[in-house]
Amino acid sequence: MGTGDFLDDFATLSTFGATERGGVHREAASDADEAQRAWFERWLTDRGFTVRYDGIGNQFGLLETAPGAPYVLVGSHLDSQPYGGRYDGAYGVLAAAHAVHRLAGAGGLVHNLAVVNWFNEEGSRFTPSMFGSAVFTGLLDLDAALDTRDPAGVRVGDRLAAMGHTGTGAPVLADLAGYAEIHIEQGRLLEETPATIGLVADTWAARKYDLRVLGDQSHTGSTPMADRQDALLGAAHLVVAARGLSDELSTPDVPLHTSASRMAVEPNSPVTVAREVTLNLDLRSPDEDLLARADAALHERIPVIERAARVSVEVAGSQRWGVRPFPAAGVELARRSAEELGLTHREISTVAGHDSVNLNGHVPTVMLFVPSVAGISHNEGELTHDDDALAGVDLLAAVVRRLAAGEITGPPPGAARTRPADG
Amino acid sequence: MGTGDFLDDFATLSTFGATERGGVHREAASDADEAQRAWFERWLTDRGFTVRYDGIGNQFGLLETAPGAPYVLVGSHLDSQPYGGRYDGAYGVLAAAHAVHRLAGAGGLVHNLAVVNWFNEEGSRFTPSMFGSAVFTGLLDLDAALDTRDPAGVRVGDRLAAMGHTGTGAPVLADLAGYAEIHIEQGRLLEETPATIGLVADTWAARKYDLRVLGDQSHTGSTPMADRQDALLGAAHLVVAARGLSDELSTPDVPLHTSASRMAVEPNSPVTVAREVTLNLDLRSPDEDLLARADAALHERIPVIERAARVSVEVAGSQRWGVRPFPAAGVELARRSAEELGLTHREISTVAGHDSVNLNGHVPTVMLFVPSVAGISHNEGELTHDDDALAGVDLLAAVVRRLAAGEITGPPPGAARTRPADG
């Protein structure tokens, strides 16, 4: 198989949900996602893979290389953000398919191989993100996941049934010997280093909140200012405060990333002061102490904001995790593979969540990055150069070969992501 | 007719779209609005009114008292804000119907009488507000109004056709000799004075903006803070800045009311920095010079906000009007009527827009208020005491009798509201 095959396939994949400005718009279980999943099923079947779905719509392509043995699973996700980039997730799924296909018939493999397209990694249509891999690893209850609805009221379970994309016979967590994923960096460290390959050593710590700001409806014109209990004003103060935390607490060496990106206003009328606003706040840092200080500062500001806007702020949901390492043995295995291929590389952290973050701790997990031009991601302008994309497929094939040959085994104890804690 | 009739009818009217917390939820052309319009049509027909609809769904009840003469029109609107109060608009329509009904067979009338329920005064489902009266007075183009869609894509013209609530034979602007409207104050001046009746002398000046904040999508986790162009951060700064203008420029004697109450975020994903946010800003004051200073200060802050959030802010639409008087002859006519009835009264400004604001300047227009408990409005807790509500019906009947007897004629020159100017 020549390198043109991968780029041709990637160009085809990029037509599903293609936008005018070079991106893709294919949220989970949209028509465009359904079409690309059908295309990918044919791609796998045509090359001798057996396609299976699990109960939450994760799509697997199985390749028997060691009858009766556990699987080395390789993949990422095909769904995108709204008006997102064509590389995020899709690159990793197609790289996995090509890498595994290259190993068909290879000698010395003690494990079977499987490719996976995780359902709804992005979480923009059905929350939370990393949805399919969360069910797979037991972090999210299957029935609750199936009952999740999008803003228009469409239920995950109904949509998956209509697509015919649930089933049985797919691998489960206990069937795995390892997991590997390659993804675009979505930052600009590799470009600036420069290096072709990121060996992902750990995940930044994060605290994520879903907040509910409660005010009271009134008339935007006639209500005296002192009488207003303005939920949108309260929410706006929270958004500005979150940014302020990053501005105040980040240092050149130790960044704090903060954001709010989703907001719903009720009743959202041009002449009625909002009674309720829901929004997310997201704080991330590679330094757990810094993150804890930022979180404390946020909680000190909330009462001030409550008084300023005459509202109350409730935590409707939260998630937190600390800095979590990927297995050092996997980083070393990937480093050796990169060096054999003559690829420049560096260790790196992932700030974004990935399906590999859910798998990490359950099975030996290797996470790899290729460069993103200017770090642009979740944007139609997302780009990874062809030579970098092809180098990534070569490396992934080498890494999967080593994993399938049994070079590392067993999960590191106690490092798995646990059920999100409220409060 | 006893006073119980009005309260009984008002209780019935309040069942349409009734909410658990004592309010109503019946946006324009909703099922609840359709049901109450059918009920009101029967009410009118049962009492000898002839019901007619115009091209934009304004509902008229005609009562012939002076064959061939122009009409004195009396009314308000039955639609509500989402989870709004049961008095806003509905009180005025039912008061108009009862007041006009009392005048059936009265002597000395040189004009005909008509009741009106203006379509979509609230503007929460279909923008702009004061929609039906804007078409009636030529401020809004009929075809453009019919082509307006709600957020779900439902077209006004299609919905009105399905309801069968458009037609011909209704009065047009040239058929009117005068207009009268009674409404709840939606503030607390009458309660604090105290006075039973507000004689509305003028409208506050206002500047309203629809703003579009343009950023660029990126990843909420991995994108370095310095690279972000965060449209939601920019919008939040605008909301906070608007409130700051009121805090800084209002004086105890001369208030400045500012608000933002509607916001739409794209793509509104938990992990993607917003590329675009649209929001409204609304500035109102009884002092045109203060409002101009506030507007200038807002425009000075916008470039600062653009730099802080790395966004651009566009004005997608705007409306402005100065302090506009209602005809002094109408205020005096209403004052004489109130004094004859022994009702306490005071002159007052309206801060909220009303259909009467659209009629004012085209025909002699009288606008009256009754008290709102604690000024609460656009809220399920909206309340006007029964005795105040009944006093208002009495006053409205007296005012309409004087108008129909020809006590004042002709529009004041040049005071009509004109087409909104952009920019």
Side-chain angles (χ1 to χ4, degrees):
Chain A
M1 193 186 318
T3 57
D5 293 333
F6 177 82
L7 296 175
D8 289 348
D9 284 340
F10 190 72
T12 301
L13 189 54
S14 301
T15 64
F16 296 100
T19 67
E20 286 180 11
R21 298 169 66 187
V24 292
H25 182 70
R26 50 186 193 213
E27 289 185 283
S30 62
D31 292 346
D33 187 35
E34 183 173 8
Q36 73 179 342
R37 289 164 69 95
W39 174 84
F40 189 53
E41 176 167 341
R42 284 194 306 276
W43 191 99
L44 291 166
T45 305
D46 289 349
R47 285 159 184 79
F49 289 77
T50 301
V51 172
R52 290 282 182 268
Y53 295 90
D54 69 9
I56 196 59
N58 295 316
Q59 183 181 37
F60 296 85
L62 314 181
L63 195 69
E64 189 170 72
T65 47
Y71 287 92
V72 170
L73 184 65
V74 197
S76 191
H77 61 94
L78 291 179
D79 70 312
S80 87
Q81 287 288 318
Y83 298 95
R86 60 194 196 274
Y87 292 87
D88 180 353
Y91 166 68
V93 173
L94 195 65
H98 275 262
V100 169
H101 183 50
R102 284 190 205 171
L103 300 179
L109 305 188
V110 300
H111 298 309
N112 283 302
L113 296 175
V115 175
V116 62
N117 164 26
W118 298 109
F119 178 69
N120 185 37
E121 192 270 351
E122 294 292 359
S124 53
R125 180 178 181 190
F126 305 105
T127 54
S129 55
M130 298 150 32
F131 192 92
S133 57
V135 172
F136 185 86
T137 53
L139 190 68
L140 187 62
D141 178 70
L142 173 62
D143 290 330
L146 291 170
D147 278 339
T148 301
R149 292 176 189 271
D150 73 5
V154 176
R155 187 176 162 273
V156 167
D158 296 341
R159 186 67 188 111
L160 286 174
M163 290 163 64
H165 280 189
T166 56
T168 57
V172 298
L173 186 58
D175 298 326
L176 301 195
Y179 177 70
E181 179 169 355
I182 194 165
H183 202 280
I184 57 167
E185 180 196 344
Q186 307 179 285
R188 46 187 166 79
L189 274 181
L190 291 178
E191 191 175 63
E192 290 173 358
T193 299
T196 303
I197 299 297
L199 308 168
V200 182
D202 58 28
T203 308
W204 279 22
R207 304 206 182 182
K208 294 183 170 201
Y209 294 100
D210 291 313
L211 299 179
R212 184 181 297 130
V213 184
L214 295 168
D216 199 18
Q217 287 191 195
S218 59
H219 196 293
T220 54
S222 57
T223 309
M225 298 303 289
D227 288 357
R228 300 183 183 204
Q229 301 172 250
D230 187 339
L232 182 54
L233 178 64
H237 277 301
L238 287 166
V239 174
V240 170
R243 176 65 189 218
L245 292 175
S246 173
D247 293 344
E248 293 157 29
L249 298 175
S250 285
T251 67
D253 295 334
V254 187
L256 171 70
H257 288 187
T258 61
S259 64
S261 59
R262 176 175 251 180
M263 189 178 280
V265 181
E266 292 294 341
N268 213 29
S269 165
V271 286
T272 299
V273 171
R275 74 172 177 276
E276 179 174 330
V277 174
T278 53
L279 76 159
N280 71 320
L281 284 189
D282 185 332
L283 287 69
R284 309 193 200 203
S285 178
D287 181 326
E288 292 186 359
D289 292 337
L290 176 64
L291 188 63
R293 288 204 307 280
D295 198 37
L298 172 67
H299 282 83
E300 281 170 19
R301 283 170 205 204
I302 285 177
V304 178
I305 290 168
E306 288 180 318
R307 286 192 294 275
R310 301 183 70 234
V311 297
S312 62
V313 178
E314 294 178 354
V315 176
S318 67
Q319 281 186 288
R320 63 165 69 188
W321 56 82
V323 172
R324 289 191 309 198
F326 284 87
V331 173
E332 292 313 311
L333 179 153
R335 193 193 315 271
R336 287 196 302 278
S337 300
E339 288 178 355
E340 283 176 9
L341 291 168
L343 298 173
T344 55
H345 57 82
R346 61 163 287 168
E347 285 195 23
I348 196 166
S349 297
T350 179
V351 188
H354 298 290
D355 295 302
S356 63
V357 171
N358 279 338
L359 274 290
N360 186 24
H362 294 288
V363 294
T365 297
V366 179
M367 184 71 196
L368 306 167
F369 280 167
V370 289
S372 295
V373 172
I376 293 169
S377 188
H378 285 191
N379 185 296
E380 293 166 282
E382 196 178 78
L383 179 65
T384 292
H385 291 304
D386 287 349
D387 51 354
D388 290 333
L390 293 170
V393 180
D394 291 343
L395 177 65
L396 186 64
V399 165
V400 172
R401 180 190 296 266
R402 287 175 180 274
L403 289 172
E407 288 200 15
I408 60 175
T409 53
R417 187 175 170 212
T418 53
R419 192 166 295 272
D422 272 359
Chain B
M1 191 185 318
T3 56
D5 293 333
F6 177 82
L7 296 176
D8 289 348
D9 284 341
F10 190 73
T12 302
L13 189 53
S14 301
T15 63
F16 295 100
T19 67
E20 285 181 13
R21 298 169 66 187
V24 292
H25 183 71
R26 50 185 193 215
E27 289 186 284
S30 62
D31 291 348
D33 187 34
E34 183 174 8
Q36 73 178 343
R37 288 164 70 94
W39 174 85
F40 190 52
E41 177 167 339
R42 285 194 305 276
W43 192 99
L44 291 167
T45 305
D46 288 349
R47 285 157 185 80
F49 290 77
T50 301
V51 172
R52 291 283 181 269
Y53 295 91
D54 68 9
I56 195 59
N58 296 316
Q59 182 181 37
F60 295 87
L62 313 180
L63 195 68
E64 190 170 71
T65 47
Y71 286 92
V72 170
L73 185 65
V74 197
S76 193
H77 61 93
L78 291 179
D79 70 310
S80 86
Q81 287 289 317
Y83 298 93
R86 60 194 195 275
Y87 293 88
D88 180 354
Y91 166 68
V93 172
L94 195 66
H98 275 261
V100 169
H101 183 48
R102 284 191 207 172
L103 300 179
L109 305 188
V110 301
H111 297 309
N112 282 303
L113 296 173
V115 174
V116 62
N117 164 26
W118 299 109
F119 177 69
N120 185 38
E121 193 271 350
E122 294 292 0
S124 53
R125 179 177 180 190
F126 303 107
T127 54
S129 55
M130 299 151 26
F131 191 91
S133 57
V135 172
F136 184 84
T137 52
L139 191 67
L140 187 62
D141 178 70
L142 173 61
D143 290 332
L146 291 170
D147 278 339
T148 302
R149 292 174 189 273
D150 73 4
V154 177
R155 189 177 161 271
V156 167
D158 296 340
R159 185 69 187 109
L160 287 174
M163 292 162 65
H165 279 191
T166 57
T168 57
V172 297
L173 186 58
D175 298 327
L176 300 195
Y179 178 71
E181 179 167 355
I182 195 164
H183 203 279
I184 57 168
E185 180 196 345
Q186 308 180 284
R188 45 186 166 81
L189 274 181
L190 291 177
E191 190 174 63
E192 290 173 359
T193 300
T196 303
I197 299 297
L199 308 169
V200 181
D202 57 27
T203 309
W204 280 21
R207 304 204 182 185
K208 294 182 168 202
Y209 294 100
D210 291 314
L211 299 179
R212 184 182 297 130
V213 184
L214 296 169
D216 199 19
Q217 287 190 196
S218 58
H219 196 294
T220 55
S222 57
T223 308
M225 298 304 287
D227 288 357
R228 299 182 185 206
Q229 300 171 249
D230 186 338
L232 182 55
L233 178 64
H237 276 301
L238 287 167
V239 174
V240 170
R243 174 66 188 217
L245 292 175
S246 173
D247 293 344
E248 293 157 28
L249 298 176
S250 286
T251 68
D253 295 332
V254 187
L256 170 71
H257 288 187
T258 61
S259 64
S261 59
R262 177 175 251 179
M263 190 179 279
V265 180
E266 293 291 341
N268 214 27
S269 165
V271 285
T272 298
V273 171
R275 72 170 179 277
E276 179 174 331
V277 175
T278 53
L279 76 158
N280 72 319
L281 283 189
D282 185 333
L283 288 68
R284 308 192 203 202
S285 179
D287 181 327
E288 293 186 0
D289 291 339
L290 176 64
L291 188 63
R293 288 204 307 280
D295 198 39
L298 172 66
H299 282 84
E300 281 170 17
R301 281 169 207 205
I302 285 176
V304 178
I305 290 168
E306 288 180 318
R307 285 192 294 275
R310 301 182 73 233
V311 297
S312 62
V313 178
E314 294 179 355
V315 176
S318 67
Q319 281 186 289
R320 63 164 71 187
W321 56 81
V323 172
R324 288 191 308 196
F326 283 89
V331 174
E332 291 313 311
L333 181 153
R335 192 193 315 272
R336 288 196 301 278
S337 301
E339 288 178 356
E340 284 176 9
L341 291 167
L343 299 172
T344 55
H345 57 82
R346 62 163 286 168
E347 286 195 24
I348 197 167
S349 297
T350 177
V351 188
H354 298 291
D355 295 304
S356 64
V357 172
N358 280 338
L359 273 290
N360 186 22
H362 293 289
V363 295
T365 297
V366 179
M367 184 72 197
L368 305 168
F369 280 168
V370 289
S372 295
V373 172
I376 292 169
S377 188
H378 285 191
N379 185 297
E380 293 165 284
E382 197 177 77
L383 179 64
T384 292
H385 291 305
D386 288 349
D387 50 354
D388 290 333
L390 293 169
V393 180
D394 292 343
L395 178 65
L396 186 63
V399 165
V400 172
R401 181 191 293 267
R402 287 175 179 273
L403 289 172
E407 287 201 15
I408 59 174
T409 53
R417 190 177 169 210
T418 53
R419 190 167 295 274
D422 271 0

